[in-house]
Amino acid sequence: MPRWRYNSGMIVLRALLATLLLAPFVAAQEHVSFPTEDGGVVYADLYGKGERGVVLAHGGPFNKESWEKQARTLASAGFRVLALDFRGYVKSRGPGDSAPMDAPLHLDVLAAVRYLRKTGAKTVSVVGGSMGAGAAGDASIASQPGEIERVVLLGGAPNGPAEKLKSSTLFIVARDDASGDGPRLPRIQAQYEKAPEPKALIILEGSAHAQYLFQTDQGERVMREILHFLSAK
């Protein structure tokens, strides 16, 4: 359960009103690219305006386009959103791109965070799903203090030591989510226990994994929890 409290009512109301009233006017996505510190190039889609940035990091079966609905919702709530393609996906490239699962994907996330900061964002958070959750967590570990404000991990956890996370962290996982190696919840819960405060763990019913949660009847709740977390004071 979350270990902090916030005024969720007003946040939800404002976010939903913004989504309903402003969604038709969200600017069409802009295609951008930027370098990584190890010589790669990341391609991404940019949505919205504002000083609060959010990086969206996809899972293995997905790409940057898979985040479009969530990106537009976040943009309508006042965030500047950058959905990236990891190296090895479409045009993004860099060392290890022939086997992205084993590549230093956290460098792609850090490059996206730094792109948003260089282009006007005062704060940047990251939402990652599965493979992207691991990369988001590892990016927080490798980041400079304050560089990544908050991290949302969908169906995943840092690959590195969670006690070294430098961001407020929200873990979201379905209770029966499993891979070929077995249930994911025990490892995620273990990493959650090691993570520093502030942090929260939300365990949903069902077996949907990471971004697939948005395709279930709990999709709206997942988006609402993300908005709560990213908007909390």
Side-chain angles (χ1 to χ4, degrees), residues 45-199:
D45 293 337
L46 188 63
Y47 301 79
K49 299 178 181 179
E51 297 179 342
R52 297 179 299 167
V54 179
V55 173
L56 301 180
H58 65 81
F62 296 96
N63 57 20
K64 58 184 172 59
E65 283 80 12
S66 66
W67 289 110
E68 181 175 0
K69 182 177 179 181
Q70 292 77 40
R72 292 190 183 279
T73 299
L74 288 164
S76 294
F79 293 94
R80 190 162 184 244
V81 185
L82 190 64
L84 63 84
D85 268 338
F86 279 117
R87 63 185 67 192
Y89 286 77
V90 196
K91 296 192 295 182
S92 294
R93 60 187 184 273
D97 59 14
S98 61
M101 293 292 290
D102 298 318
L105 301 183
H106 69 287
L107 297 181
D108 299 354
V109 174
L110 284 173
V113 168
R114 290 163 184 169
Y115 174 86
L116 284 175
R117 285 192 170 274
K118 287 178 182 177
T119 55
K122 291 187 176 179
T123 65
V124 180
S125 299
V126 183
V127 179
S130 190
M131 176 182 78
D138 290 349
S140 174
I141 292 169
S143 67
Q144 297 299 314
E147 192 170 25
I148 300 176
E149 184 180 43
R150 306 174 195 200
V151 174
V152 179
L153 307 179
L154 300 173
N159 300 302
E163 58 269 25
K164 294 186 178 180
L165 285 163
K166 298 186 182 77
S167 314
S168 302
T169 310
L170 171 62
F171 297 77
I172 302 177
V173 60
R175 187 178 304 279
D176 299 320
D177 183 356
S179 68
D181 297 324
R184 291 186 170 95
L185 179 57
R187 177 179 178 272
I188 291 172
Q189 202 154 21
Q191 288 287 72
Y192 164 75
E193 292 297 336
K194 295 175 184 177
E197 296 283 358
K199 61 184 177 181

